[in-house]
Amino acid sequence: MTRIPHRARTRKRTASASAAGTEGRDDGVRGGRLALALLATCQLTLVVDASIVNVALPSIRSGLGFGDAGLSWVVNAYTLAFGGLLLLGGRAGDLLGHRRVFMTGVGMFTIASLVGGLAATPGWLLAARAAQGVGAALAGPGALALIATTFEDGPRRSRALAVSAIVGSAGMVVGLVLGGVLTAWASWRAVLFVNVPVGAAIVLLTPRAVRESPRREGRFDLAGAFTCTAGSALLVYGFIRAAEGGWSAGRTPGAFVVAVLLLALFPVIEARARQPIMPLRLLHDRDRVGALLMRLLLTAAMGGMLFFLTLYVQGVLGYGPLATGFGFLPTTIALIAASRAVPRLLPRYGPRPIMTAGALLCLTGMVWLTQAAQASSYVTMILGPVLLFGAGTGLVSVAATFVALASVPPGETGATSALLQSMQQTGGSLGLAVLVSAHDAASRGTSELDGMRGAFTAGAVFTAGMLVTALLAFRRSAGRERA
């Protein structure tokens, strides 16, 4: 056998190691892109499903024989289950592994979508929508937590988090467009069936592209899980009931009272728990609390604005459902354009100026909408506000996501992700309830258009709250450590 000189053997091993390392990095890049595509697609699908059925509601009413009261629960059953179970879903990922819980949630969401698309009775559809919400509550925190644990600190994680924030914020607008297209070209069942191939692809491809996160030894905090789940669900339920019948109607006051009591008890339980479902130290960071509040106020303003702007475009300007959906596309374009700048700006300037600029853009757009008139046109009254609001949303949503997840221990990424998404779900319900109340008060004895201007004025109050929060809640110099 021919002997290879020692120096040659060393060079050969070095070259082989270098080649292997390069190959591993290339595979990591490709795998990272696939992982991000799967996780971001899941997030987009979950957010879209909260609004995609809105355009299809008239067809669902005629197809299944829904009454007025029951029809609203086609949307609310999903929102209630999703918002109420988020913290529990996030903690389950921390303890059992985020990939495992994520895939379980996506599988449940996909099966429920198929069952809902086949629904023959109202009860059947509502049960399927609630099951979709349960699956979304398991998958949603897992998707964001897996992004945080899959990508290393630095530019790749920044880009991944930016993509996640973009799809989360743009999902409501995309849902309106997609719902109009599917309902007009197919049927209302298509808005549910469209989830099936998407969900199946995510479940099949996730094990190939996404590593399992380390499991954390521990047990479920049952008392904390009950109080936060029941309290969050009752809070969302109260906002839903307030939007439907007013703040003093029926069970609404009771729901709010019990929700407040449970949520007030929750931190007491968590402070004494060995392994809390939501570690209270996550709220000791001033910037993180500010980011959570910004997300709550942003979603409250955006959700209510889209609801009444849809009514204005169709009822006053006379657009059809499909044209209305496409009329909101500039929002998404502006959102993506503005959000791309955040990963470069945040390490240099910190969150305060970015949040302030975003809040100012949203406030300007909402104040513009308060001037809506019968003789207005899309160009003079809609295009400018949706561009401003889209750009402001892009700045705020991406920066809030970065700040909320900064410096979070690996074992608590699920809880933090769930907390961030809880703000989004609660904010949407809160905003709709407040804007509906403002609309009813302003339109009483006047006109529907006066009611819409009143709703937009209430939305302007939310955006003004964003501006105050941006100026007061964040440290002046957050610096590079926040990015």
Side-chain angles (χ1 to χ4, degrees):
M1 180 182 295
T2 304
R3 291 178 57 86
I4 301 175
H6 174 71
R7 185 174 298 176
R9 291 198 306 270
T10 302
R11 285 197 299 266
K12 184 176 180 180
R13 285 196 300 267
T14 302
S16 300
S18 177
T22 301
E23 182 180 355
R25 286 194 296 271
D26 290 342
D27 288 345
V29 170
R30 289 194 293 269
R33 289 171 180 167
L34 178 57
L36 179 58
L38 293 171
L39 298 173
T41 300
C42 175
Q43 283 191 296
L44 179 63
T45 303
L46 301 183
V47 176
V48 161
D49 234 65
S51 61
I52 192 173
V53 299
N54 284 333
V55 180
L57 288 177
S59 299
I60 293 174
R61 183 210 302 265
S62 60
L64 295 182
F66 268 96
D68 290 339
L71 188 65
S72 65
W73 283 97
V74 177
V75 177
N76 295 338
Y78 179 78
T79 303
L80 187 61
F82 191 2
L85 295 171
L86 271 168
L87 285 177
L88 185 60
R91 181 58 175 169
D94 286 335
L95 293 180
L96 303 176
H98 290 299
R99 191 181 72 175
R100 176 180 300 175
V101 175
F102 169 77
M103 292 177 61
T104 301
V106 174
M108 182 181 297
F109 177 86
T110 303
I111 294 171
S113 298
L114 176 62
V115 172
L118 297 172
T121 64
W124 181 342
L125 179 59
L126 294 182
R129 288 289 286 169
Q132 279 186 298
V134 175
L138 296 176
L144 191 53
L146 285 169
I147 288 175
T149 57
T150 298
F151 297 92
E152 299 177 355
D153 285 325
R156 290 184 67 197
R157 178 181 287 184
S158 296
R159 286 193 294 270
L161 289 175
V163 170
S164 171
I166 290 168
V167 300
S169 298
M172 287 187 286
V173 179
V174 174
L176 294 174
V177 178
L178 188 59
V181 170
L182 292 175
T183 304
W185 293 352
S187 76
W188 67 264
R189 298 181 186 276
V191 303
L192 295 170
F193 285 145
V194 71
N195 297 324
V196 177
V198 175
I202 292 172
V203 171
L204 291 174
L205 294 176
T206 293
R208 302 182 182 182
V210 181
R211 297 190 307 270
E212 179 62 280
S213 62
R215 295 175 60 178
R216 185 179 180 186
E217 293 296 328
R219 63 179 65 180
F220 279 100
D221 169 22
L222 296 180
F226 171 77
T227 52
C228 81
T229 300
S232 299
L234 283 171
L235 186 65
V236 173
Y237 174 78
F239 288 137
I240 291 171
R241 295 289 299 175
E244 290 178 344
W247 295 87
S248 60
R251 303 186 182 94
T252 304
F256 278 125
V257 169
V258 178
V260 169
L261 290 175
L262 288 172
L263 293 177
L265 182 61
F266 177 61
V268 177
I269 294 174
E270 296 303 274
R272 298 180 178 181
R274 283 188 175 183
Q275 296 173 325
I277 193 171
M278 191 199 77
L280 296 181
R281 59 179 170 271
L282 294 175
L283 302 180
H284 294 169
D285 188 306
R286 173 178 169 179
D287 288 345
R288 181 174 294 118
V289 172
L292 293 171
L293 184 55
M294 290 291 286
R295 193 63 175 263
L296 176 77
L297 293 170
L298 173 65
T299 312
M302 187 175 186
M305 181 269 287
L306 288 175
F307 178 82
F308 281 100
L309 199 55
T310 301
L311 296 180
Y312 175 76
V313 171
Q314 293 191 39
V316 178
L317 300 186
Y319 282 49
L322 191 58
T324 299
F326 280 107
F328 289 121
L329 276 181
T331 308
T332 305
I333 295 171
L335 190 155
I336 294 173
S339 63
R340 288 173 63 87
V342 176
R344 297 192 301 272
L345 297 175
L346 192 60
R348 181 179 300 179
Y349 300 108
R352 188 178 184 185
I354 298 172
M355 298 283 198
T356 301
L360 277 172
L361 290 171
C362 290
L363 177 59
T364 304
M366 195 67 81
V367 171
W368 190 339
L369 286 174
T370 63
Q371 307 304 307
Q374 190 78 34
S376 299
S377 67
Y378 176 83
V379 174
T380 61
M381 185 50 61
I382 307 300
L383 183 59
V386 299
L387 286 172
L388 289 169
F389 214 96
T393 299
L395 294 177
V396 171
S397 61
V398 176
T401 301
F402 277 38
V403 174
L405 292 174
S407 306
V408 175
E412 295 172 359
T413 53
T416 309
S417 302
L419 189 59
L420 184 64
Q421 292 180 327
S422 292
M423 294 300 102
Q424 180 170 332
Q425 292 298 314
T426 304
S429 301
L430 168 64
L432 185 58
V434 170
L435 266 65
V436 165
S437 298
H439 166 273
D440 293 346
S443 63
R444 192 172 297 120
T446 56
S447 67
E448 178 67 16
L449 188 58
D450 286 332
M452 291 183 182
R453 284 194 287 258
F456 293 136
T457 300
V461 173
F462 281 121
T463 54
M466 289 170 55
L467 181 59
V468 172
T469 302
L471 292 172
L472 299 181
F474 298 96
R475 293 176 290 172
R476 288 182 179 271
S477 57
R480 297 180 182 276
E481 73 274 9
R482 303 303 309 173

